[in-house]
Every structure is written in C-alpha cells, then in structure tokens.
C-alpha cells in the first residue's frame, strides 16, 4: 500500500546529487517531523513520569538549529568511539550536505538477507548502542532505517536527536530499534531482537515492552508499512508479550 504523499508521515527532505563524479546527499530539516516523533517521545516520557511518580526534566523538543548541531556533535562522538557516519561537507541554518553512503538501508537488509547474517549485524549494532550509552549519549531515534550497511560496515545516519542522555532516553534507543524490527517475518524478527540484546548485554525489560507496544500502536499512522508488515507487527508484538 502506498499512501498519497500529502498524508504520509512528514519527514525531512532528502536530495541525492552528483557532481564531478562524487555523490552527496542534502538533508533539509522539516520543522514538522519532530512534532510527530516528539508527540510519541513526550507521551512515553509522560507515562514514564506517571508510573515512577517522578518529574525529571527530560522533555525534549530540539529546534532545527539544535538538530543540525546534534548531527555534527553525533558524528564527533561516534567517530571518537570508532563508528562510521557519513561525513558532512557543509551546512547552513536549515540543511546539511553529506557524503552519500552507497550501501543498503538496514531495514531492506534485514528483509532480504539470511537470518545468520542479520543476527551478526544486529549483534554488532547492540554492542555499538551499548558503547554509545556507556559514553553517556543516546540516538533517541534508533530505528533500523537509520543505518546503512556497506561492505559489511555499519553506518549511522540521522543523528539529529543525538543527545547527552538520561536512562529514559537510552531506553528510547532500545525501544525504537526493537519496534522497527517488528514488521519482519516472525522468525527473522525474533532473531534480530535477540541478537541486538545479546550485543547490548541486557535482556528486554517489562517497561521496554510496554513502550514498544505504545510505539507499535502509533506506527501504523505513519502509513509506511504494507498489510503484511502490519500483520507481522501485530503477531510479533503478541509473541513478545506472551514470551516475556
Ligand atoms: N548520507 C546518506 N547516504 C545514503 N543514504 C542516506 C544518507 N542520508 C540519508 N539517506 C537516506 O535517506 C533516508 C532519510 O534520511 P534521514 O537522515 O534518516 O532523515 P529523516 O529524518 O527524514 O528520517 C535514510 O533512511 C536513508 O535511506
Ligand atoms: Mg531517519
């Protein structure tokens, strides 16, 4: 199912260009995108505060300027930790121009590759996310579509919400990653989530499953998934809760 453009989930504008044989990407930041993503994030934050009866200042709604700063700072931190990201060539007050990574988006990679290969990559991503967290940072939007695989190397894209992180914000990485795997075939989904947690070094918690449920209730409104993916999402979520 492909929804008409006007009612699709608003994202940033991504333009692929080529000049003098060099490919690059210009990302122009939408002001609407964080309103949608952060409605979800701030609902989760609200529930977290209510259930713990604590109000820490984790409300987050970065401006376009801040999101561009996050993209730059995220690259610095990740490259310091030895992880790959597309290099930025220039930026202005509403766009960044970066190297184009000519690989396969992780969401497509998971759909098409054998289970063994998907497990290997997912375990490496779990380990990478753990290293980022142990350094005091989080990505916030850790969905598999924000990674590219090229020559067996993992690249992080979409660092606009990269931030110095609280425990709740670190949990958002685990929740968004696992929730983004729920549209895969059941066997693949189970393998990807298990491998991620093996790499991260921690099993799924009850709280994380509750936030994955919240994310999955709202995700269909993005109109990004076809009917089979939505059916997988519901079945995989059911199994995740049942097996806990
Ligand atoms: N440097 C890049 N190289 C290759 N593909 C990219 C690059 N940057 C973005 N993309 C593609 O564009 C998509 C959207 O980019 P992203 O930074 O995630 O923006 P959004 O905030 O709209 O999700 C990515 O999922 C990826 O497929
Ligand atoms: Mg993205």
């Amino acid at each position: 199912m492909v929804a008409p453009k006007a009612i699709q989930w608003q994202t940033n504008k991504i333009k692929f260009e080529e000049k003098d044989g060099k490919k690059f990407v210009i990302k122009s930041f939408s002001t609407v995108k964080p309103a949608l993503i952060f409605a979800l994030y701030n609902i989760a934050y609200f529930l977290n505060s209510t259930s713990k009866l604590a109000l820490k200042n984790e409300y987050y709604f970065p401006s376009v300027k801040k999101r561009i700063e996050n993209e730059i700072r995220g690259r610095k931190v990740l490259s310091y930790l030895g992880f790959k990201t597309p290099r930025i060539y220039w930026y202005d007050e509403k766009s960044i121009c970066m190297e184009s990574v000519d690989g396969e988006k992780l969401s497509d990679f998971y759909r098409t590759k054998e289970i063994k290969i998907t497990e290997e990559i997912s375990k490496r991503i779990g380990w990478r996310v753990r290293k980022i967290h142990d350094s005091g940072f989080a990505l916030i939007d850790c969905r598999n579509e924000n990674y590219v695989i090229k020559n067996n190397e993992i690249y992080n894209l979409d660092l606009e919400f990269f931030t110095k992180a609280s425990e709740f914000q670190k949990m958002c990485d685990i929740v968004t990653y696992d929730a983004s795997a729920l549209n895969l075939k059941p066997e693949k989904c189970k393998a990807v989530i298990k491998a991620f947690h093996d790499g991260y070094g921690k099993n799924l918690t009850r709280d994380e499953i509750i936030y994955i449920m919240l994310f999955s209730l709202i995700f269909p409104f993005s109109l990004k998934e076809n009917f089979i993916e939505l059916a997988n999402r519901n079945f995989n979520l059911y199994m995740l809760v049942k097996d806990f």
Side-chain angles (χ1 to χ4, degrees):
M1 181 185 74
V2 178
K5 265 227 151 7
I7 57 164
Q8 263 183 347
W9 193 269
Q10 178 81 38
T11 55
N12 298 304
K13 208 160 91 207
I14 304 287
K15 233 167 53 185
F16 289 86
E17 296 196 351
E18 195 166 346
K19 204 174 164 193
D20 305 328
K22 210 154 105 187
K23 286 186 188 163
F24 52 95
V25 177
I26 299 176
K27 171 170 175 177
S28 303
F29 290 78
S30 148
T31 44
V32 183
K33 178 190 169 188
L36 295 167
I37 289 191
F38 280 93
L40 187 53
Y41 168 89
N42 286 319
I43 289 171
Y45 165 54
F46 165 78
L47 293 175
N48 196 53
S49 307
T50 319
S51 64
K52 306 226 164 25
L53 292 178
L55 186 62
K56 293 192 204 142
N57 193 10
E58 290 160 54
Y59 191 87
Y60 191 44
F61 198 94
S63 62
V64 169
K65 181 169 178 281
K66 179 78 183 127
R67 284 152 64 200
I68 291 176
E69 285 168 13
N70 292 343
E71 293 265 9
I72 295 166
R73 184 194 200 190
R75 280 165 171 78
K76 278 195 192 132
V77 174
L78 291 186
S79 91
Y80 175 77
L81 294 172
F83 304 139
K84 285 194 155 35
T85 56
R87 191 172 342 129
I88 292 186
Y89 294 130
W90 56 257
Y91 63 92
D92 59 23
E93 67 283 354
K94 60 173 183 23
S95 317
I96 60 174
C97 173
M98 60 185 142
E99 163 194 11
S100 174
V101 183
D102 210 2
E104 194 174 6
K105 199 148 69 160
L106 187 61
S107 40
D108 297 330
F109 186 95
Y110 280 163
R111 240 194 315 272
T112 55
K113 298 287 184 291
E114 282 174 27
I115 287 205
K116 232 179 135 42
I117 302 169
T118 59
E119 276 173 338
E120 194 254 320
I121 293 286
S122 193
K123 191 169 180 181
R124 280 165 59 195
I125 293 180
W127 182 82
R128 173 180 297 214
V129 172
R130 180 59 184 266
K131 292 281 163 252
I132 297 169
H133 289 179
D134 288 350
S135 313
F137 295 93
L139 303 153
I140 307 274
D141 184 359
C142 188
R143 285 173 295 163
N144 55 24
E145 63 174 59
N146 291 327
Y147 291 87
V148 169
I149 310 298
K150 182 186 168 189
N151 302 332
N152 201 33
E153 299 255 35
I154 301 163
Y155 287 75
N156 277 85
L157 307 175
D158 208 353
L159 299 169
E160 63 187 281
F161 304 125
F162 189 91
T163 179
K164 234 181 175 347
S166 64
E167 289 311 304
F168 170 71
Q169 288 168 330
K170 291 176 189 171
M171 186 185 75
C172 287
D173 286 352
I174 294 170
V175 167
T176 51
Y177 182 84
D178 285 346
S180 73
L182 289 180
N183 61 14
L184 295 167
K185 283 187 187 153
E187 202 190 0
K188 184 80 71 72
C189 167
K190 204 172 167 185
V192 163
I193 291 180
K194 181 175 182 310
F196 176 81
H197 285 271
D198 285 350
Y200 189 88
K202 185 183 81 62
N203 289 334
L204 255 175
T205 65
R206 175 189 153 277
D207 279 6
E208 283 158 4
I209 291 182
I210 292 171
Y211 291 114
I212 290 170
M213 278 166 64
L214 173 70
F215 192 94
S216 282
L217 286 174
I218 295 174
F219 202 79
F221 295 107
S222 73
L223 303 175
K224 273 186 172 177
E225 290 178 334
N226 63 34
F227 289 125
I228 293 171
E229 289 171 325
L230 286 173
N232 285 341
R233 173 170 295 283
N234 281 298
F235 179 77
N236 289 328
L237 189 57
Y238 169 77
M239 293 305 285
L240 209 60
V241 175
K242 183 171 151 295
D243 290 347
F244 183 69

